[in-house]
Amino acid sequence: MRATKVMVNLPVADIDAAREFYSDFLGLSTEEMNLGWVARFQTPDGRAELQVVTRDATAPENPVASIAVDDVDAAYAGARERGYEIVHPLTDEPWGLRRFFVRTPDGSVLNINSHPA
């Protein structure tokens, strides 16, 4: 398993209110995705991007980052073998993502995910 993309997840109270700051002020003007509780903003060239999250739709905690991997099942098995705390089990989410949340040794929660083939 290897990471293919890392995305910061910034906590926000309201995505619409956050849009003005991240889009108008910072120039992350392309709203790549918005599920109502999570949205991704990026520059028009796609080189800079971030996600904002109000409250995760299915997990008990919000992750600080989302990490796309080439094999989420192998990542899940590896996390369990190492005894890391699984915060949200390996799940096929209704929006097309296969993911799990794991707590890092310093206490951060990461969303490890992939889009099924």
Side-chain angles (χ1 to χ4, degrees):
M1 179 278 309
R2 73 180 173 86
T4 59
K5 184 177 186 177
V6 176
M7 174 78 55
V8 66
N9 293 323
L10 296 177
V12 298
D14 181 298
I15 289 175
D16 291 332
R19 180 181 295 110
E20 180 180 339
F21 180 84
Y22 293 108
S23 182
D24 295 345
F25 178 64
L26 288 182
L28 301 173
S29 57
T30 302
E31 188 173 303
E32 181 188 9
M33 174 267 300
N34 186 337
L35 298 178
W37 57 271
V38 60
R40 182 175 308 132
F41 299 98
Q42 66 182 25
T43 54
D45 65 8
R47 294 181 63 188
E49 59 187 351
L50 65 81
Q51 288 187 155
V52 294
V53 180
T54 57
R55 179 73 180 100
D56 193 277
T58 63
E61 294 186 44
N62 284 345
V64 297
S66 294
I67 302 177
V69 296
D70 60 355
D71 188 341
V72 71
D73 293 281
Y76 184 71
R80 289 179 50 95
E81 287 171 9
R82 289 172 175 81
Y84 297 141
E85 178 188 351
I86 303 299
V87 176
H88 179 64
L90 187 60
T91 305
D92 291 318
E93 301 290 5
W95 54 89
L97 202 62
R98 184 164 173 79
R99 70 182 187 158
F100 71 96
F101 289 11
V102 61
R103 191 173 311 279
T104 67
D106 66 359
S108 297
V109 175
L110 301 179
N111 169 3
I112 310 296
N113 66 75
S114 69
H115 289 277

